[in-house]
Amino acid sequence: EEPERLLQDLDRLLTGEFGLEHRVMLEVIVPGATPRWALNDVVVARPHYGRITRLRALLDGDLIATYPADGLIVATATGATAFSLSAGGPIVDARMAAMILTPICPHTLYSRPLVVPAEVTVTLQLVADGKHRPEAAVFVDGQEAGALAEGDEVVVRRAARDALLVQLGEPRFYDRLREKLKWGMER
């Protein structure tokens, strides 16, 4: 179906029959690195197999939790149906202005994903566990953006500009979810 629609969509694009959809972008500040921007997610994760990472999460400076986990994902609504969903995060309509914090393989029973407004500032601090020298790697949309040592922090906030995506026809977010996740279909 998609290749057949390509010519129709191209004609509509050339005649100006399209809309623009705004999507939240994230600005990511990693110590010692140039600020980066993410459309999908920021991941802070352990660099070595077999060791957990302890990340303290603050929202606008207020402590939310310390996560003993393999890492933590801060996703936009656009990125929520990728790595965050695979790690147990919620499905979030891609048009929402939100950030989703999802622990990766948390080592507690109380760790749950958290959906927050896109306007908050998320600060993730790497803390010691008392056994090993803490380390973590930071990935922005799948690309390594830096490393963290004990006491380092990553700051994630809404970027000054949104991404603009061309929307041809009616939004199909839920149609795509039904197709990909087989919602409502007998199995």
Side-chain angles (χ1 to χ4, degrees):
E1 175 188 343
E2 296 296 325
E4 296 162 1
R5 288 185 35 199
L6 183 61
L7 290 176
Q8 293 172 345
D9 289 347
L10 184 58
D11 287 341
R12 289 172 48 205
L13 187 63
L14 294 173
T15 59
E17 297 176 48
F18 63 88
L20 291 177
E21 196 171 302
H22 289 258
R23 298 285 180 92
V24 168
M25 295 277 294
L26 301 176
E27 179 183 19
V28 186
I29 300 168
V30 178
T34 303
R36 308 265 303 258
W37 291 268
L39 175 62
N40 294 305
D41 54 40
V42 177
V43 177
V44 180
R46 64 190 175 138
H48 304 291
Y49 183 76
R51 293 187 186 162
I52 65 170
T53 298
R54 290 189 188 281
L55 292 168
R56 184 177 295 134
L58 299 96
L59 299 182
D60 288 337
D62 294 327
L63 177 63
I64 296 303
T66 298
Y67 295 97
D70 288 355
L72 189 71
I73 304 163
V74 180
T76 63
T78 300
T81 54
F83 188 20
S84 177
L85 181 64
S86 296
I91 294 171
V92 178
D93 189 309
R95 298 167 293 182
M96 290 184 66
M99 284 191 266
I100 300 89
L101 281 70
T102 306
I104 304 167
C105 298
H107 294 243
T108 64
L109 295 176
Y110 62 83
S111 294
R112 296 286 179 257
L114 178 64
V115 180
V116 299
E119 287 69 33
V120 302
T121 297
V122 176
T123 304
L124 303 176
Q125 300 172 336
L126 185 62
V127 296
D129 66 2
K131 297 176 187 172
H132 305 286
R133 183 173 51 95
E135 298 176 275
V138 181
F139 300 89
V140 176
D141 281 346
Q143 302 297 311
E144 190 164 355
L148 301 179
E150 183 177 350
D152 285 346
E153 57 184 41
V154 175
V155 177
V156 181
R157 61 179 163 234
R158 186 174 187 164
R161 294 187 177 161
D162 291 345
L164 294 176
L165 302 181
V166 171
Q167 179 65 49
L168 296 168
E170 296 297 316
R172 299 185 56 237
F173 178 75
Y174 296 102
D175 290 340
R176 281 192 222 120
L177 279 179
R178 271 192 306 279
E179 291 168 12
K180 289 181 179 183
L181 301 179
K182 309 295 185 217
W183 278 0
M185 297 179 180
E186 290 190 32
R187 297 177 190 187

